Amino acid sequence: MDFKTASALHRLRLVSAPEAVSFLLLLVCSVLKRTTEFNAVPVMGAIHGVLFILYVIFWLDAWNRTKWDIKTAALYFVLSVLPFGGFFVERKLKRAAEDAVIAARARREGKVSA
């Protein structure tokens, strides 16, 4: 994996968890708006909107650089619109990054010829 691909995946990982948190907070704010006088939906909506746009931009960049198949790319996009999906994306990308580091070390040490 080259540096630009690793950077694209890292950026997607960094934005996925905050995007998921902002989505959950937006849902809570929506409920509070309808049940109380508290209305933080405009603020949380703007924060979530910015994070979601960043997620989509970073997702497109990662898809372009990694050449994911359509199923994997679609999975990462669908998970972004589910309340806890961003956490799953972050965890899957973290595992993939750790596997890539292990494989690179093994190749460098001459233990694997892949």
Side-chain angles (χ1 to χ4, degrees):
M1 179 180 309
D2 66 337
F3 181 73
K4 289 184 178 183
T5 303
S7 295
L9 292 173
H10 185 70
R11 283 191 301 268
L12 183 60
R13 252 188 72 214
L14 285 177
V15 78
S16 64
E19 190 274 335
V21 169
S22 72
F23 186 36
L24 292 172
L25 288 174
L26 181 60
L27 292 175
V28 169
C29 288
S30 295
V31 170
L32 289 175
K33 176 184 175 184
R34 284 159 179 73
T35 58
T36 65
E37 296 295 316
F38 184 74
N39 184 10
V41 171
V43 174
M44 275 314 303
I47 292 169
H48 174 67
V50 168
L51 288 171
F52 183 73
I53 289 170
L54 284 174
Y55 182 93
V56 170
I57 290 169
F58 294 156
W59 169 78
L60 286 169
D61 185 37
W63 185 13
N64 183 40
R65 293 190 186 280
T66 59
K67 307 299 184 214
W68 288 325
D69 60 345
I70 191 72
K71 182 179 174 186
T72 302
L75 173 69
Y76 286 145
F77 185 78
V78 168
L79 285 173
S80 74
V81 297
L82 297 176
F84 292 97
F87 299 118
F88 293 112
V89 169
E90 196 277 332
R91 194 166 70 198
K92 286 179 75 67
L93 291 174
K94 183 177 180 183
R95 284 186 189 154
E98 290 169 351
D99 291 346
V101 168
I102 291 169
R105 285 183 184 158
R107 279 192 301 275
R108 189 174 55 234
E109 293 173 4
K111 295 182 180 179
V112 177
S113 62

